Amino acid sequence: MFFLRLQGAQDELTLSVAGKKSAGLAKSGRDARSGAGQGSARSLAWGSRTPSLSSSDELVFFVNGRKVVEKKPDPEVTLLFYLRRVLRLTGTKFTCGEGGCGACTVMVSRYSATNKEIRHYPVTACLVPICSLHGAVTTVEGVGSIRTRVHPVQERLAKCHGTQCGFCSPGMVTIYTLLRNHPDPTPEQVTEALGGNLWHCTGYRPILESGKTFRVEPTVCRVKASGKCRLEEEEEKETGSVHAQEKMCAKLYDKDEFQPLDSSQEPILPPELIRMAEDPDKRRLTSGERTTWLAPVTLPDLLELRADYPQAPLIMGKTTLGPNIKLKGEFHPVFISPVGLPELYLLTSEDGACAECRASVLWARGVTERCMAQDPPWRDREWKDGPEGNSAAAARVTIGAGHSLAQLSDTLWSIVSEQPTKKTETCRALLKHLRTLAGAQIRNMATLGGHVAIRATISDLNPILAAGKVTIHLISKEGAQIPLDRAFLEGSPGASLKPAEIVLSVSTPYSTQCQFMSGLWQAQQQENSMAIVNAGMSMWFEDSTSTIRDLQMFYGSVGPTVVSTSRTCRQLVGRQWDDQMLSEACHGVLDEIHLPPGAPVGQVGFQRTLLLSLLFKFHLRVRRGLSRLVSGKLPDIPEQYASALEDFPIVTPQGVQMFQCVDPRQPPQDPVGHPVMHQAALKHATREAVFVDDMPPVGQELFLAVVTSTRAHAKIISIDTAEALALPGVVAVMAAEDVPGENHHQGKIFYAQSGVICVGQIVCTVAADTYAHAREAAKKVKIAYEDVEPRITTIEQALEHNSFLSPERKMEQGNVEQAFKHVDQIIEGEVHVEGQEHFYMEMQTILAVPREEDKEMVLHLGTQFPTHVQEFVAAALNIPRSKITCHMRRAGGAFGGKVTKPGLLGAFAAVATNKTGHPIRFVLERGDDMLITAGRHPLLGRHKIGFMKSGLIKAADVEFYMNSGCTPDESGLVLEYIVLKSENAYYILNFWCRGRACKTNLPSNMAFRGFGFPQATVVVEAYMTAVTSHCDLLPEEVRETNMYKRTSQTAYKQRFNPEPRCWKECLERSSFHARKAAEDFNRQSRWKKRGLAVVPMKDAIGVPIAYYHQAAALVHIYLDGSVLLTHGGCELGQGLHTKMIQVASRELGVPMSYIHLSETSTVTVPNAIFTAGSMGTDINGKAMQNACQTLMARLQPVIRRNPKGKWEEWIKKAFEESISLSATGYFRGYQTNMDWDKEQGDAFPYYVYGAACAEVNIDCLSGTHKLLRANIFMDAAFSINTAVGIRQIEGAFAQGMGLYTTEELKYSPEGVLYSRGTNDYEIPTVTEIPEEFRVTLARSRNPVAICSSKSLGKAGMFLGFSVLLAITDAMAAARRDTRLSPATPEWIRMSCVDQFTDTIPRDDPSTFTPWSICVS
């Protein structure tokens, strides 16, 4: 018997994480960043013997063409860890650790000895155990590099402006893999390939565009008589005729610069791998101390191993076992991996063959057991022919259990294309779900057999397979086959897999003429999203009638297992398929599927409604099908109902970007105003941009793990660290008593001491030689608590207990009380806006290194505020700031989340470094990051509005309450922003606004892109919408009536000159007034509705505190003429460094290629202010300009004497004349102010204007929405870099769209955050962005800012609200509550009141504790 045994070392930590959709995949592995750790406290029962190996062979695979020979591969080590920590290939990033983001994507290439083909496919390295590798791995480093050759896919990603922070850019390996398989990909293939990647900065459009450039044929739609796409024609029209005084451009890059893709130049698969795959002797043995990996070579080997180790998990994929190992402490000493066994990849298609023939086919590949037909191995289960059961001789397709879901999809496509439609109902239902199930990476790893065997309730395929009467073929020493039915899915003892049994294949019967089959589902998003409810439904009817012969309905995600409504189905057999039957079916389903009101996920009402809505969709499909099959005998469904039959299609987005061309009189070497590529874009795409955790290990460095509070408000009775300290590798545990300086600083608490005030507060930290050891030890720290009342989690509770963090902020103009007496109507309302997670791709990361002298310390980190980190570290260590150096090269996204929290986390790293004397590497995992750092402030807004019949608002009384969490953080400044920006673009003569920051027992919320403006304006637009409905006017009319129209004063008495251009152009050029098409659509469609909305924006840049605007820069000119820039701003992906180089290039008159900008440091520029609020370019640009002008003033005498000289000559001469070639630049800052006592001030230096129009379709039955079009018009003044500006607007819009639609943070009543990863929190994916995405930058003047520009980094965030307004327009009067954010599928569906929402039972809130609560 030949099999592979790979055993691992005791000291490796397992990273076992669930893949997206739990798609039958369960990859083992230790943490992606570390390799050592302790076993679990619990192990499972095992078979008759334990593996004992005396010798070991090596594991051989290839990485980027280089042969890797691992003497003792550990089954618990993931490929991601091995790449980053062993091979030092750090381009593959650790982000989510659960396969949901795509940042760790690599390409795996394998040779099939069976069909003599090489297969390239993408996988997420965080889920792949290295022991499963027997092929070639290509990482981003192997695709191309600046030092050797940049690959076309990397070049185009960079030149199409598809990178921002660059942290997730290595995920473009998905596109590279697509090109290896399809050198001429269709746009649809590009979109599908990107479905498993999250890119939170860009808004996806430029990334898609870069992939579509590889299409040889034109990608435009030839729908006009001219042969041009509508978008293309409109682009030409706009660039040529709009604004005769302005020349508009729409070209952000030059395709002629792209190097061609030459597939013949791609690396070949190493011949050694081909020989290994064809070698019949595959025995390789390795031994270790902790775990054993068994890889059988033949099917008999597999059966014997399964008999010997019946409890050992089979590893084909591994997304289910992973969470159990990581979260539940399971320990499996043996893993069996049958990957590669040809019997698991069989594929047969039969047309009614007998059981003996079918058995011979199934066993034709070398299985030595007896034919099942000769000695039938059937379980003692009822087995029927026809639609009531599975006939052994039925026509069917049999697919091996080893097929990945991607291979399954390919197989089904082949079957569907070859077989008549009537035979492929089940196949087509499966195909529809496979397109959106997880991402491409997970679909290439998960297997059909694993998906079936785990019987997960969230499975999108199992309900379909069960409804289609699929048969599972099992193999063991006895052999068996069982139906995939209710008993199997619900885990009935007689129907479950026996310990020694293995799923060999799955047989799917072909459908018949008298059968209808559907797979239905609803999730938070269209793709790569966990199902809220899914279903498989199948109906057989008597020939030429509508009489039900058999009915199968299975639902998933509504209980611990997939459930069958078998009782209801039996009762309906023999009935006519009509509306009366539907009514009885709905009641039967509700009776049979019990969803307790406090069930997990907290969407019980929505799930109950979906049970009926999905059934109704199936009912309509069958009705239409029957009417066509039994022509003239049965009526068709009403045409208005037909829209319910189809899901929203996945369409590849396209767009147009418009901006004013650079003045032709501008010197050609001046880069300002041009769409210049991000200065690090190529480094992003090739992974040569180094982030903090990419830095090489520092000698004797330790890893830090946190111990966080599990109570929201409690006293700490005791902390027991003895067991943690006794574990191997643990060096120290740090707590409050180990802080040599302040444990409380600026209102923030470092280590909890006597008590805790939120779940997630750090109580202590553990330092160990590996992160695995540190994390295991952190779990062993025992903390005893005593709860303290009150525990405040919501704003309502804070108001009840008068719990606030800061004084009230208020402003008033006019006489509101008097004005209410002279209006036509008064309305009052309340709006709740929930929070939002930053979800930056690079987690909070700090590397603290002690210096040997003078207690100095150096910190490398990704932050928006190095000065703040320096301050907090100095306070914690009780040493001067001058001894703390912070280096910040770049951050992998921030969005406000890295302003203040890095200071707190930096203090923890510094205290650990101080105590241990070792360098400390501190990287938060995604779950810990989300728990500890919190995010956007939830907001409660209350309003009282007095208005006239014309829609003119005469009086507004508005109050805001925000959930700030347990400490102030930046809540005071966020509150001021909310109050100051509470007008949006509207002038209300009598306006009174006030706000309070509520103190609760949640982690402290902090700055977020928009800084309160996106929440506050929801309240404003909510009462504008309410006025609209009361006046029976169009929404845009009411908004325009109330806008600023002339130079006026704001409510805080600052002079304001409005710019209505963006609003007018948005209405005109988005064809907003052409509503007839939407109105016609809505009249003709009962179950899908279309909505349009336009929203204006008046945002302000800067802060009302003058010294927050100061900035400094340092410029060195070297004797070769090269220039080095340094400034106090931080590069977060927003292109700050790029624009600084552009400014310096203009001021110095040298090409950008002469200029280098390395990093931000507290050594070069001290006391720098934070990079936030879109101020980075403004203030640092002014400082940079000042430094460059100083240098040019010094050089003028030299230049005047030799005006035709070269730059290098001038610099050499200046040096010879002892002229300093180094200068500091300084900007004192905008002199803003705000006197809150007087409620007036010049709070902001200038304003940014914009408008957005959105058009959406909604599905009233499911709650899904589809964004058809978005038009954004933004006042950019004179954009320094149009490509960066447009990219920022698109990214902000997508992030705002997420806030207002799909992103939900869920908390338990006890204050525990549930949403801690990609499976629990869903940011927009590539399929969520507009099908048509248009951005226009309008030109104006802004003399107060650098280069007459305006900052656009956060301005687009609120414009995502246009999507929510369009959704409400589509729902129209069906909306029945005022919680406008986010417009999730649940909110949309439950607001579209119909017979199904009226049918579901209602639970008395006083009788149960909800699973989750709203904290706003």
Side-chain angles (χ1 to χ4, degrees):
M1 178 172 68
F2 301 112
F3 53 88
L4 170 66
R5 300 189 181 194
L6 302 178
Q7 295 191 331
Q10 174 106 18
D11 62 350
E12 298 295 330
L13 173 67
T14 301
L15 171 63
S16 305
V17 287
K20 201 76 172 183
K21 304 288 291 188
S22 211
L25 180 78
K27 284 293 178 190
S28 173
R30 286 264 157 169
D31 189 86
R33 295 194 309 275
S34 56
Q38 293 301 303
S40 71
R42 181 164 65 95
S43 61
L44 304 179
W46 289 97
S48 59
R49 60 192 177 111
T50 300
S52 176
L53 302 176
S54 58
S55 63
S56 64
D57 288 335
E58 59 214 14
L59 174 67
V60 178
F61 59 101
F62 285 75
V63 177
N64 299 332
R66 191 185 84 182
K67 185 176 180 179
V68 177
V69 179
E70 180 58 39
K71 297 295 185 181
K72 291 183 60 176
D74 187 339
E76 297 179 296
V77 169
T78 65
L79 175 59
L80 179 57
F81 168 79
Y82 196 84
L83 291 173
R84 292 184 61 82
R85 295 300 181 212
V86 179
L87 302 181
R88 295 301 306 160
L89 296 173
T90 56
T92 308
K93 304 301 184 188
F94 175 80
T95 298
C96 71
E98 54 188 3
C101 72
C104 66
T105 301
V106 299
M107 183 180 79
V108 172
S109 304
R110 280 184 173 159
Y111 176 77
S112 171
T114 302
N115 56 23
K116 310 299 182 183
E117 292 180 353
I118 298 172
R119 179 175 170 236
H120 307 288
Y121 57 96
V123 301
T124 48
C126 67
L127 298 178
V128 178
I130 59 167
C131 290
S132 68
L133 293 174
H134 304 291
V137 175
T138 302
T139 71
V140 62
E141 291 92 342
V143 175
S145 71
I146 296 172
R147 295 174 183 173
T148 55
R149 172 182 174 267
V150 176
H151 191 277
V153 72
Q154 297 167 318
E155 177 200 39
R156 297 187 193 191
L157 181 66
K159 291 184 176 179
C160 291
H161 313 287
T163 78
Q164 283 203 40
C165 76
F167 193 82
C168 51
S169 296
M172 63 81 209
V173 173
T174 53
I175 299 296
Y176 174 74
T177 308
L178 173 65
L179 295 174
R180 293 297 302 269
N181 294 316
H182 305 281
D184 182 19
T186 65
E188 293 72 25
Q189 287 175 320
V190 174
T191 303
E192 183 174 357
L194 291 173
N197 291 71
L198 300 179
W199 313 68
H200 209 190
C201 298
T202 60
Y204 295 101
R205 194 272 313 162
I207 301 167
L208 275 169
E209 204 161 285
S210 72
K212 290 193 292 183
T213 62
F214 291 100
R215 182 67 169 165
V216 176
E217 299 176 357
T219 59
V220 296
C221 51
R222 304 293 183 179
V223 296
K224 292 282 189 174
S226 63
K228 292 182 178 179
C229 170
R230 173 169 53 87
L231 284 177
E232 191 178 54
E233 283 201 342
E234 291 182 9
E235 176 184 323
E236 292 179 359
K237 177 182 177 181
E238 290 174 357
T239 56
S241 63
V242 175
H243 312 304
Q245 73 278 15
E246 299 177 355
K247 172 66 175 175
M248 300 297 288
C249 290
K251 190 176 182 180
L252 292 174
Y253 55 87
D254 187 354
K255 292 182 179 179
D256 293 336
E257 295 181 357
F258 297 157
Q259 57 177 315
L261 176 67
D262 185 354
S263 300
S264 67
Q265 299 303 305
E266 300 295 353
I268 64 171
L269 191 72
E272 183 175 347
L273 285 178
I274 297 177
R275 290 194 299 271
M276 289 168 58
E278 294 179 337
D279 184 0
D281 183 8
K282 300 179 182 178
R283 179 174 54 184
R284 292 176 294 273
L285 304 176
T286 65
S287 60
E289 298 176 358
R290 176 178 166 85
T291 55
T292 303
W293 182 278
L294 306 174
V297 174
T298 67
L299 196 55
D301 294 344
L302 174 60
L303 296 177
E304 184 170 344
L305 287 173
R306 191 61 167 164
D308 288 341
Y309 312 112
Q311 300 300 327
L314 263 63
I315 308 302
M316 294 290 284
K318 207 179 174 190
T319 55
T320 300
L321 182 63
N324 294 338
I325 295 174
K326 180 179 180 181
L327 303 176
K328 298 181 181 180
E330 286 187 6
F331 170 57
H332 297 273
V334 176
F335 298 101
I336 301 174
S337 177
V339 175
L341 290 185
E343 292 83 0
L344 297 178
Y345 299 90
L346 65 87
L347 175 62
T348 64
S349 179
E350 308 157 55
D351 290 313
C354 69
E356 288 84 354
C357 295
R358 179 171 53 84
S360 65
V361 171
L362 288 173
W363 297 92
R365 295 198 174 185
V367 181
T368 57
E369 303 297 321
R370 288 179 297 173
C371 175
M372 290 189 293
Q374 296 172 357
D375 187 7
W378 312 100
R379 298 276 174 83
D380 293 330
R381 304 277 303 284
E382 183 178 4
W383 201 264
K384 301 177 181 179
D385 287 343
E388 295 82 3
N390 277 330
S391 170
R396 64 185 62 242
V397 59
T398 300
I399 303 174
H403 282 83
S404 70
L405 297 187
Q407 292 172 315
L408 173 64
S409 180
D410 292 341
T411 298
L412 293 176
W413 271 116
S414 177
I415 293 170
V416 167
S417 64
E418 294 173 358
Q419 297 289 343
T421 301
K422 67 179 182 179
K423 296 180 64 175
T424 58
E425 285 271 312
T426 304
C427 295
R428 285 184 283 113
L430 289 169
L431 270 175
K432 185 180 76 169
H433 284 264
L434 284 167
R435 169 60 184 88
T436 57
L437 191 154
Q441 298 91 327
I442 299 300
R443 292 196 295 269
N444 275 286
M445 300 161 68
T447 60
L448 173 61
H451 198 93
V452 167
I454 60 174
R455 298 181 292 195
T457 181
I458 58 173
S459 164
D460 288 334
L461 301 187
N462 283 350
I464 301 172
L465 294 170
K469 305 244 177 145
V470 161
T471 303
I472 305 172
H473 298 283
L474 306 177
I475 185 171
S476 66
K477 288 193 172 181
E478 288 75 31
Q481 73 178 31
I482 59 174
L484 196 160
D485 59 5
R486 173 182 181 175
F488 173 78
L489 292 175
E490 294 181 359
S492 300
S496 297
L497 300 181
K498 293 180 179 178
E501 290 178 334
I502 297 165
V503 177
L504 179 69
S505 61
V506 174
S507 288
T508 302
Y510 286 123
S511 54
T512 64
Q513 182 73 25
C514 56
Q515 179 184 358
F516 291 97
M517 174 79 195
S518 285
L520 307 109
W521 79 307
Q522 178 57 42
Q524 196 80 338
Q525 300 188 128
Q526 194 173 17
E527 182 177 27
N528 201 12
S529 183
M530 291 283 193
I532 299 168
V533 173
N534 52 40
M537 300 182 186
S538 188
M539 192 274 273
W540 291 261
F541 59 94
E542 301 291 350
D543 290 345
S544 302
T545 71
S546 63
T547 304
I548 301 172
R549 184 182 176 192
D550 189 23
L551 179 63
Q552 299 287 325
M553 293 191 295
F554 291 84
Y555 287 96
S557 298
V558 290
T561 66
V562 173
V563 296
S564 167
T565 58
S566 55
R567 184 176 69 245
T568 300
C569 292
R570 286 195 302 270
Q571 292 172 350
L572 296 175
V573 171
R575 298 288 305 277
Q576 298 300 304
W577 192 268
D578 54 22
D579 291 342
Q580 179 62 35
M581 181 281 307
L582 173 66
S583 177
E584 294 181 21
C586 289
H587 286 92
V589 167
L590 290 177
D591 289 342
E592 204 163 350
I593 299 179
H594 174 66
L595 283 168
V601 184
Q603 300 175 301
V604 172
F606 182 35
Q607 288 181 306
R608 289 170 177 167
T609 304
L610 285 177
L611 294 175
L612 308 187
S613 295
L614 299 184
L615 173 57
F616 179 61
K617 286 194 171 194
F618 181 61
H619 170 75
L620 293 177
R621 179 172 183 263
V622 173
R623 277 277 304 273
R624 167 147 288 187
L626 285 173
S627 70
R628 293 175 177 177
L629 285 174
V630 191
S631 180
K633 297 182 180 180
L634 297 172
D636 196 357
I637 62 174
E639 195 56 40
Q640 293 92 333
Y641 282 30
S643 63
L645 297 177
E646 299 297 332
D647 297 329
F648 291 129
I650 295 178
V651 178
T652 300
Q654 53 185 326
V656 176
Q657 302 78 45
M658 307 290 297
F659 54 95
Q660 186 171 341
C661 300
V662 173
D663 191 326
R665 294 168 294 182
Q666 180 173 312
Q669 74 273 14
D670 182 356
V672 172
H674 291 280
V676 176
M677 182 178 69
H678 193 293
Q679 58 99 17
L682 286 173
K683 291 189 288 185
H684 291 160
T686 61
R687 85 86 191 144
E688 287 157 281
V690 177
F691 294 86
V692 176
D693 198 36
D694 299 339
M695 297 176 67
V698 182
Q700 297 184 317
E701 76 176 17
L702 301 177
F703 293 81
L704 203 64
V706 296
V707 179
T708 57
S709 166
T710 58
R711 306 291 181 87
H713 194 193
K715 291 180 181 178
I716 295 177
I717 305 303
S718 63
I719 302 175
D720 183 359
T721 63
E723 189 175 352
L725 288 169
L727 293 178
V730 176
V731 175
V733 176
M734 280 63 63
E737 58 269 19
D738 296 302
V739 180
E742 304 175 32
N743 192 46
H744 295 67
H745 185 68
Q746 297 274 334
K748 298 180 179 67
I749 303 170
F750 295 157
Y751 291 101
Q753 196 163 8
S754 58
V756 294
I757 52 177
C758 72
V759 175
Q761 185 177 3
I762 296 176
V763 179
C764 54
T765 54
V766 180
D769 58 349
T770 68
Y771 177 71
H773 281 146
R775 189 178 64 181
E776 285 297 312
K779 295 176 183 178
K780 302 299 182 183
V781 174
K782 296 180 175 61
I783 305 173
Y785 299 100
E786 180 183 315
D787 288 333
V788 175
E789 293 295 336
R791 180 185 65 218
I792 301 172
T793 55
T794 70
I795 291 176
E796 294 288 355
Q797 291 170 346
L799 296 179
E800 180 183 344
H801 290 90
N802 199 33
S803 179
F804 302 106
L805 281 171
S806 61
E808 182 182 64
R809 291 297 189 217
K810 59 186 177 66
M811 63 181 186
E812 182 177 10
Q813 71 175 2
N815 189 326
V816 174
E817 184 176 349
Q818 187 65 25
F820 276 124
K821 298 177 182 179
H822 303 284
V823 296
D824 294 336
Q825 294 186 65
I826 296 176
I827 58 173
E828 297 187 46
E830 189 173 279
V831 178
H832 296 261
V833 185
E834 291 298 302
Q836 185 181 23
E837 162 61 27
H838 297 92
F839 216 93
Y840 31 71
M841 302 310 288
E842 177 198 31
M843 278 86 70
Q844 301 274 0
T845 306
I846 297 165
L847 177 61
V849 183
R851 291 280 177 84
E852 295 182 1
E853 297 182 30
D854 301 323
K855 296 184 179 180
E856 290 183 3
M857 189 173 295
V858 177
L859 291 95
H860 301 270
L861 68 166
T863 178
Q864 298 173 254
F865 201 177
T867 301
H868 186 73
V869 179
Q870 183 188 45
E871 174 191 352
F872 271 59
V873 170
L877 299 183
N878 193 28
I879 60 176
R881 296 192 195 184
S882 58
K883 295 186 178 182
I884 306 298
T885 300
C886 294
H887 294 278
M888 195 289 184
R889 181 177 291 270
R890 59 177 58 88
F895 314 117
K898 296 178 181 177
V899 177
T900 58
K901 284 300 194 290
L904 189 69
L905 299 172
F908 292 123
V911 168
T913 300
N914 180 75
K915 180 173 181 177
T916 64
H918 289 260
I920 293 291
R921 190 177 293 262
F922 185 19
V923 185
L924 288 180
E925 289 188 321
R926 175 65 65 187
D928 288 336
D929 195 304
M930 294 181 71
L931 175 67
I932 294 167
T933 64
R936 188 182 296 280
H937 292 73
L939 183 76
L940 167 62
R942 293 171 175 167
H943 56 78
K944 179 181 178 183
I945 308 298
F947 56 97
M948 310 304 291
K949 294 178 181 178
S950 64
L952 179 66
I953 297 175
K954 288 292 191 72
D957 178 356
V958 184
E959 53 185 338
F960 296 103
Y961 300 97
M962 53 183 219
N963 193 327
S964 300
C966 57
T967 60
D969 210 276
E970 296 161 285
S971 292
L973 194 56
V974 173
L975 178 65
E976 292 182 5
Y977 259 66
I978 286 175
V979 173
L980 290 171
K981 298 186 178 185
S982 57
E983 303 174 308
N984 193 14
Y986 308 112
Y987 177 74
I988 300 174
L989 184 61
N990 303 284
F991 185 79
W992 185 27
C993 176
R994 58 236 186 254
R996 295 297 299 270
C998 297
K999 180 180 181 181
T1000 63
N1001 295 116
L1002 296 179
S1004 297
N1005 288 302
M1006 53 177 173
F1008 203 126
R1009 196 176 202 168
F1011 222 67
F1013 180 64
Q1015 301 103 295
T1017 42
V1018 171
V1019 180
V1020 178
E1021 298 302 330
Y1023 63 68
M1024 284 290 166
T1025 302
V1027 170
T1028 295
S1029 62
H1030 281 79
C1031 294
D1032 196 24
L1033 297 170
L1034 293 175
E1036 62 272 19
E1037 292 177 355
V1038 172
R1039 287 181 167 85
E1040 188 164 332
T1041 296
N1042 290 285
M1043 282 183 196
Y1044 279 94
K1045 295 182 177 62
R1046 62 185 65 87
T1047 301
S1048 312
Q1049 281 192 337
T1050 64
Y1052 44 91
K1053 311 300 187 292
Q1054 183 170 359
R1055 187 175 182 273
F1056 172 64
N1057 183 20
E1059 173 52 70
R1061 175 179 171 184
C1062 288
W1063 171 260
K1064 293 178 180 178
E1065 290 189 2
C1066 188
L1067 291 176
E1068 294 171 4
R1069 293 164 61 186
S1070 65
S1071 303
F1072 182 79
H1073 291 300
R1075 284 176 166 268
K1076 189 174 186 303
E1079 293 171 356
D1080 291 345
F1081 179 89
N1082 291 337
R1083 277 194 298 270
Q1084 297 166 9
S1085 173
R1086 168 64 181 90
W1087 298 109
K1088 284 190 174 69
K1089 299 294 182 182
R1090 182 165 297 168
L1092 292 93
V1094 61
V1095 63
M1097 181 200 69
K1098 170 184 72 83
D1099 195 8
I1101 299 301
V1103 294
I1105 303 170
Y1107 65 81
Y1108 277 173
H1109 295 128
Q1110 62 182 304
L1114 178 63
V1115 180
H1116 299 314
I1117 303 176
Y1118 293 90
L1119 291 180
D1120 62 353
S1122 62
V1123 181
L1124 177 65
L1125 309 181
T1126 309
H1127 59 90
C1130 298
E1131 177 58 56
L1132 314 168
Q1134 80 280 43
L1136 176 59
H1137 287 354
T1138 306
K1139 290 190 279 188
M1140 292 304 98
I1141 292 173
Q1142 288 178 272
V1143 169
S1145 175
R1146 163 179 277 191
E1147 295 298 331
L1148 297 177
V1150 299
M1152 291 179 64
S1153 60
Y1154 280 44
I1155 304 172
H1156 179 62
L1157 203 162
S1158 177
E1159 67 170 9
T1160 301
S1161 169
T1162 55
V1163 171
T1164 53
V1165 179
N1167 309 317
I1169 205 64
F1170 50 76
T1171 303
S1174 294
M1175 300 187 303
T1177 298
D1178 278 25
I1179 63 176
N1180 292 290
K1182 285 281 191 178
M1184 188 66 66
Q1185 183 182 53
N1186 177 249
C1188 291
Q1189 289 176 348
T1190 297
L1191 286 167
M1192 290 305 293
R1194 295 175 187 169
L1195 291 172
Q1196 279 307 307
V1198 175
I1199 296 173
R1200 281 196 295 267
R1201 291 196 298 269
N1202 183 17
K1204 295 185 179 181
K1206 295 182 179 180
W1207 171 257
E1208 291 84 354
E1209 295 172 349
W1210 296 336
I1211 299 307
K1212 180 180 179 183
K1213 187 63 175 176
F1215 179 75
E1216 291 171 353
E1217 294 181 7
S1218 300
I1219 296 174
S1220 174
L1221 296 175
S1222 177
T1224 58
Y1226 182 69
F1227 177 54
R1228 186 166 178 264
Y1230 300 120
Q1231 297 308 297
T1232 56
N1233 63 85
M1234 181 64 196
D1235 188 328
W1236 285 102
D1237 292 330
K1238 296 180 180 180
E1239 301 178 16
Q1240 66 181 40
D1242 289 330
F1244 304 108
Y1246 64 88
Y1247 297 87
V1248 174
Y1249 312 99
C1253 173
E1255 182 176 2
V1256 304
N1257 281 350
I1258 67 168
D1259 185 329
C1260 299
L1261 287 170
S1262 66
T1264 304
H1265 79 271
K1266 183 63 176 176
L1267 181 53
L1268 304 177
R1269 183 175 61 173
N1271 294 70
I1272 299 174
F1273 294 82
M1274 190 72 73
D1275 165 35
F1278 182 83
S1279 176
I1280 293 176
N1281 188 322
T1282 49
V1284 168
I1286 288 171
R1287 191 183 59 189
Q1288 284 277 286
I1289 292 168
E1290 291 176 335
F1293 179 86
Q1295 197 170 37
M1297 184 177 66
L1299 166 66
Y1300 300 124
T1301 57
T1302 63
E1303 297 182 35
E1304 282 190 294
L1305 287 170
K1306 294 189 176 183
Y1307 293 87
S1308 74
E1310 295 76 29
V1312 178
L1313 177 67
Y1314 290 134
S1315 311
R1316 300 192 197 179
T1318 55
N1319 285 333
D1320 309 314
Y1321 187 81
E1322 302 190 20
I1323 67 173
T1325 61
V1326 67
T1327 54
E1328 302 302 308
I1329 66 171
E1331 292 180 4
E1332 293 183 18
F1333 203 177
R1334 302 162 177 261
V1335 177
T1336 301
L1337 299 185
R1339 178 70 66 86
S1340 65
R1341 293 190 57 79
N1342 184 30
V1344 303
I1346 182 71
C1347 301
S1348 191
S1349 65
K1350 286 190 176 182
S1351 292
L1352 304 175
K1354 62 186 178 66
M1357 184 86 192
F1358 164 67
L1359 295 180
F1361 185 71
S1362 61
V1363 179
L1364 174 56
L1365 283 180
I1367 290 171
T1368 59
D1369 183 61
M1371 293 189 305
R1375 188 181 68 246
R1376 66 180 184 186
D1377 65 36
T1378 57
R1379 185 176 64 85
L1380 289 183
S1381 179
T1384 61
E1386 177 181 13
W1387 179 72
I1388 297 171
R1389 178 63 189 96
M1390 301 309 291
S1391 297
C1392 294
V1393 182
D1394 54 33
Q1395 65 266 38
F1396 305 115
T1397 56
D1398 292 338
T1399 299
I1400 64 170
R1402 307 290 173 178
D1403 300 301
D1404 181 354
S1406 64
T1407 62
F1408 67 93
T1409 299
W1411 182 78
S1412 65
I1413 59 172
C1414 295
V1415 298
S1416 63

